[in-house]
Amino acid sequence: MKTGNQSVKTDFILLGLFQYGPMDTGLFVVIAILFLVALMGNIMLILLIQLDTRLHTPMYFLLSQLSFIDMMYISTTVPKMATNFLSNSKTITFVGCETQAFVFLVLGGTEALLLGFMSYDRYVAICHPLRYPVLMSKKICWFMVTCAWTSCSINSLIHTLYAFQLPFCRSRLINYFFCEVPSMLPLVCQDTYQYEHTILLSELIILLLPFMAILASYACVLTVVFQMSSGKGQTKAISTCSSHLTVASLFYVTTLSTYTRPHSLRSPEEDKIVAVFYAIITPLLNPFIYSLRNKEVIRALRRVCVQKI
């Protein structure tokens, strides 16, 4: 019988984004506004794509999936963080922490793969336009999305089950604002060096490979775009691709920074700042980057508004 092992399934305590008082209404209001803006932005983009038949294309189908993921992504972490600003208790149950870590991993991995598929969509549309209806058929789009959800769910389930069966024999204080596998490892009382290599390998596959594919596909796209004789075509292609590349870069760089470094080389404060970008800022910016910089979406919004009026 282990006497020093406190791996009993007790509650954890989330220290939060930064040190704050027992009750901070101001921070709650700010976080709540950001959450509602992100939620409404993604919901409106999904509804717009559904309502306007001209947006029933592979690109916007994948974009609606991205908005759905972002909507769920921010809903997984922000509500608990916001309520902690108004609560004297910052606790989260063992099962609640495990569930949050699992859902967050699923959504993050699926978004990483989905962004890669979106770059493939733009590559085919610009570099192989005549084969686009075949290479990006409805069946293939659903196959991509299903593969992304399934593979990331399996990967996340394995990591979550393994990480949460480790012995947590140190403090129950999580120096983070939500439960994430890397943030849990400092609480483990056994050597996690080999497991961190497993995390590194899986995240290189899920994060780095799609990011490299995105950079390669856009290198091909830009080569074709600058050979176009039509200035209007160049502008449209660059506008669409630059929006996607902006979102992808922000997401991949920040997540790679968290998941590819061992916890011994990271500081909690830096990790929390980086996590804000991929857990809050990216879901907040995505609908606006894809809508405000996309003339097709703006025209679709006008058409829907006119029809409703």
Side-chain angles (χ1 to χ4, degrees):
M1 182 175 179
K2 297 180 180 180
T3 57
N5 192 334
Q6 299 177 14
S7 59
V8 181
K9 297 182 179 180
T10 57
D11 295 350
F12 294 102
I13 298 175
L14 295 170
L15 294 183
L17 187 57
F18 39 76
Q19 297 298 322
Y20 44 80
M23 296 184 69
D24 199 319
T25 308
L27 288 173
F28 171 80
V29 171
V30 172
I31 295 298
I33 291 175
L34 292 177
F35 173 71
L36 291 175
V37 170
L39 204 62
M40 293 305 298
N42 283 293
I43 290 174
M44 288 180 63
L45 190 55
I46 292 172
L47 290 176
L48 183 62
I49 292 172
Q50 293 296 319
L51 292 173
D52 194 288
T53 56
R54 299 186 188 184
L55 298 183
H56 292 179
T57 62
M59 182 180 82
Y60 291 105
F61 168 73
L62 296 176
L63 180 55
S64 66
Q65 290 289 316
L66 179 66
S67 292
F68 173 75
I69 291 172
D70 283 337
M71 185 174 63
M72 298 299 295
Y73 206 44
I74 199 168
S75 299
T76 304
T77 58
V78 172
K80 176 60 179 175
M81 180 178 68
T83 54
N84 281 349
F85 288 131
L86 299 181
S87 173
N88 291 322
S89 173
K90 317 298 180 184
T91 60
I92 183 170
T93 64
F94 186 94
V95 174
C97 188
E98 190 174 21
T99 303
Q100 187 181 58
F102 169 73
V103 174
F104 190 81
L105 271 178
V106 172
L107 295 172
T110 306
E111 177 160 346
L113 295 180
L114 189 63
L115 288 171
F117 292 145
M118 291 174 70
S119 71
Y120 171 75
D121 170 78
R122 291 300 84 206
Y123 165 76
V124 175
I126 295 174
C127 299
H128 304 283
L130 297 179
R131 301 179 62 190
Y132 184 77
V134 176
L135 295 177
M136 288 302 296
S137 65
K138 187 175 182 179
K139 183 182 294 186
I140 291 178
C141 288
W142 274 110
F143 177 75
M144 289 180 182
V145 172
T146 303
C147 285
W149 280 102
T150 304
S151 59
C152 291
S153 296
I154 295 172
N155 175 72
S156 302
L157 182 63
I158 293 171
H159 278 293
T160 305
L161 290 178
Y162 181 82
F164 279 83
Q165 61 82 37
L166 293 172
F168 297 104
C169 56
R170 295 177 185 171
S171 170
R172 312 300 286 187
L173 299 176
I174 302 175
N175 195 3
Y176 220 58
F177 57 96
F178 65 96
C179 291
E180 191 177 21
V181 170
S183 68
M184 307 296 296
L185 296 183
L187 306 183
V188 178
C189 60
Q190 71 180 38
D191 185 20
T192 59
Y193 183 76
Q194 290 185 338
Y195 175 57
E196 288 184 54
H197 274 75
T198 305
I199 295 177
L200 175 63
L201 178 61
S202 63
E203 298 311 320
L204 286 177
I205 295 173
I206 293 177
L207 294 173
L208 189 59
L209 287 183
F211 190 40
M212 297 300 292
I214 288 173
L215 296 178
S217 64
Y218 280 132
C220 297
V221 166
L222 290 176
T223 302
V224 174
V225 165
F226 288 121
Q227 293 175 352
M228 290 180 176
S229 57
S230 171
K232 185 178 180 180
Q234 286 183 347
T235 303
K236 182 180 178 181
I238 292 175
S239 175
T240 303
C241 295
S242 62
S243 299
H244 179 233
L245 195 57
T246 301
V247 172
S249 299
L250 180 62
F251 177 80
Y252 284 113
V253 170
T254 52
T255 49
L256 282 169
S257 175
T258 296
Y259 283 92
T260 57
R261 290 185 300 162
H263 76 267
S264 58
L265 299 180
R266 306 197 312 258
S267 72
E269 299 307 318
E270 289 179 359
D271 282 352
K272 286 188 280 189
I273 293 173
V274 171
V276 166
F277 282 95
Y278 63 81
I280 300 176
I281 301 300
T282 300
L284 174 66
L285 293 181
N286 275 356
F288 300 102
I289 289 177
Y290 280 109
S291 59
L292 296 179
R293 298 192 62 185
N294 192 317
K295 293 182 180 179
E296 289 183 0
V297 174
I298 294 175
R299 284 196 292 265
L301 180 60
R302 290 172 180 169
R303 286 195 297 268
V304 171
C305 290
V306 169
Q307 290 173 1
K308 297 301 178 183
I309 292 173

